[in-house]
Amino acid sequence: MAKQSLHELEAVIADRKANPIQGSYTDYLFTKGLDKILKKTGEEATEVIVAAKNDSDPDLILEIADLAYNVLVLMAERGVSVDQIQAELASRIGPSDAKKLKERPAIKKL
Ligand SMILES: N=c1c2ncn([C@@H]3O[C@H](COP(=O)(O)OP(=O)(O)OP(=O)(O)O)[C@@H](O)[C@H]3O)c2ncn1[C@@H]1O[C@H](COP(=O)(O)O)[C@@H](O)[C@H]1O
């Protein structure tokens, strides 16, 4: 199955911002501006909550993908990168996880 990484989608969104294309939904959001992007992000977050609460709703993955796309558009609008989010998440790795990571090479040597 074809996959698209967050970095790849980030690059497409950045390209739409730099080189607007007629009919592009991403360009439509950037043209409407921050308030529209925030409104759509809030709507998509609500749709994720509704789908997650409903066991028989088949659309949870679709709704999470919509939210991820909207958050990436919001990040581009506010100048936040996927790398920055990854660095922030990495900085939160707890002491026990850091210890486990340090122990890995020692285990390999055995
Ligand atoms: N992942 C997405 C993505 N997810 C959702 N959407 C669009 O988001 C819109 C959401 O529909 P809604 O009914 O909520 O909104 P609407 O009624 O169309 O419009 P408004 O409510 O915003 O006024 C749809 O038009 C979807 O096509 C997306 N549009 C684009 N992408 C990605 O962005 C790339 C670039 O897309 P374009 O900018 O359209 O070229 C695509 O190749 C995709 O990878």
Side-chain angles (χ1 to χ4, degrees):
M1 189 206 291
K3 290 183 185 171
Q4 185 179 43
S5 74
L6 291 180
H7 277 112
E8 287 167 343
L9 184 52
E10 177 184 49
V12 172
I13 290 168
D15 186 58
R16 292 292 187 276
K17 196 166 168 40
N19 309 295
I21 289 180
Q22 187 139 29
S24 154
Y25 184 74
T26 314
D27 175 44
Y28 161 78
L29 288 177
F30 285 133
T31 301
K32 288 276 184 179
L34 181 62
D35 284 355
K36 174 70 177 180
I37 294 167
L38 293 174
K39 184 168 176 279
K40 290 304 293 185
T41 305
E43 284 173 14
E44 299 303 348
T46 303
E47 285 170 19
V48 168
I49 292 166
V50 171
K53 287 287 278 183
N54 182 355
D55 279 345
S56 59
D57 192 327
D59 291 338
L60 181 57
I61 292 172
L62 184 155
E63 299 299 356
I64 291 172
D66 280 353
L67 178 60
Y69 162 75
N70 270 275
V71 168
L72 286 171
V73 172
L74 172 59
M75 287 164 58
E77 179 66 14
R78 296 290 283 104
V80 176
S81 70
V82 170
D83 279 350
Q84 285 173 303
I85 302 302
Q86 287 182 328
E88 175 61 30
L89 291 172
S91 77
R92 298 178 188 181
I93 294 174
S96 57
D97 287 335
K99 192 164 172 272
K100 269 185 231 154
L101 289 172
K102 268 189 189 167
E103 283 168 358
R104 262 191 214 159
I107 291 167
K108 266 189 187 167
K109 274 180 211 161
L110 293 174

